[in-house]
Amino acid sequence: MRVLNQRAVLDRLRRGGPATRPQIAKETGLSKPTVGQALLDLEQHGLVRTVGRTTAGPGRSAMVYEPNPAAGHVLGIDIGRQRIRVAVADLAGSVKARVDERNRCRSAGALVRTVRELAARTASDAGLSLDDLVVKVIGTPGVPDPRNQTLHHAPNLPGLERRGLLEELEAELGPELVVENDANLTAVGERAYGAARNVDVFVCVTVGTGIGMGIVVDGRLFRGAHGAAGEVGYLPYGPPSEVDREVRGQLEAAAAAESVVALAKEHGVTTAKSARDVFSLAKSGDERALRAVRDEAGRLAYLVASVAAVIDPELVVLGGGIGSNTGLLQEPLEAALRRMTPLAPRIVAGELGDGAVLSGAIAMGLRSARDLVFDRRGAVTL
């Protein structure tokens, strides 16, 4: 009973913010003496702290309590083709240190060493060691396979599919390591802090070097039977003859970054070396680049129409290096979608930019870290 009371009090403070003992008693249904004992236990174990006294209203002032954000910390890591981003956050989600560096790794071994070094440096910047971090969450392309400790469907990063890679990462970073698909974490981040707040059924489509999608149903990530839900880069795309020759990867080949450059060349743009160049020209009014963007929007509309027919999302959040150009893509995408299907979900830009995966990693880490901290601090052993 004592542990249940402590959890009830701590959950109230985490959910509803700072409160006094009478407020907590009223909202939890516990007696004031029970709440007082729970707060005493939690405070002695560093799980809550006082933040002053009330000053309004009649009678004596009351002590105000809140969860102690320094009771634990989580590590988030975003492994992308171009950049590796690392952050340490406290239990309130406040980032205490962050590192963002170019990914120069050309092998799995180099990647493991680099991730470990950046994680240790970020922890040190926050005044911590790796051992102090309660949960570590890594976002990466591909589908984690816990059976053989590897990643599948991650061709864009050299060595990422090496057997045993996840085990090597855990050996370097320590226990309580979670490796999650980056599009899934983008969806988690946008729901926690961004464009999909309070939305229970939505998809987050990331378009950049590759194409991925995080799916949230009833407020929870949907991963599918083998963790591959959202691997929409493998959707067949193109006329039947092309599909017959090569089914795998058709949509990714047709709509990811390299295809945008190819589309621009078809329309006579010869100076663009990257998708970013194409969108920059389009923003400046270059009609040839704008035609390429409209073609890209049409291909993404095919993806949205396919997803809408199966999942019926309330919202489609666009992210990634290409997807973030919603200002140029949205109008032609919606027009193409109306021509394809009567099922047209609302399409919005992601709000978290290149920090979406990292934000999702922190949000996912906090969910389990808060319970782990409570258990490890032994708040009920008084």
Side-chain angles (χ1 to χ4, degrees), residues 56-95:
R60 294 186 303 172
S61 64
M63 193 72 71
V64 179
Y65 295 86
E66 71 172 6
N68 181 7
H73 294 81
V74 299
L75 176 75
I77 302 175
D78 171 17
I79 300 175
R81 183 174 181 178
Q82 302 296 331
R83 316 286 303 179
I84 299 177
R85 300 179 174 93
V86 185
V88 169
D90 63 21
L91 292 187
S94 298
V95 173

Side-chain angles (χ1 to χ4, degrees), residues 44 245 248 300 309:
Q44 288 183 355
R245 287 202 302 269
R248 296 185 62 182
L300 294 179

Side-chain angles (χ1 to χ4, degrees), residues 237 239 242 253-274 278 281 286-296 299:
Y237 184 86
E242 292 183 15
E258 291 183 3
S259 71
V260 175
V261 178
L263 284 170
K265 288 181 179 178
E266 291 177 11
H267 288 291
V269 178
T270 58
T271 57
K273 296 181 180 179
S274 67
V278 176
L281 287 169
D286 188 298
E287 185 55 39
R288 298 165 303 170
L290 284 168
R291 287 197 293 270
V293 169
R294 285 194 289 270
D295 287 349
E296 170 71 2
R299 296 179 180 188

Side-chain angles (χ1 to χ4, degrees), residues 233-245:
Y234 292 118
L235 277 172
Y237 184 86
S241 60
E242 292 183 15
V243 173
D244 289 343
R245 287 202 302 269

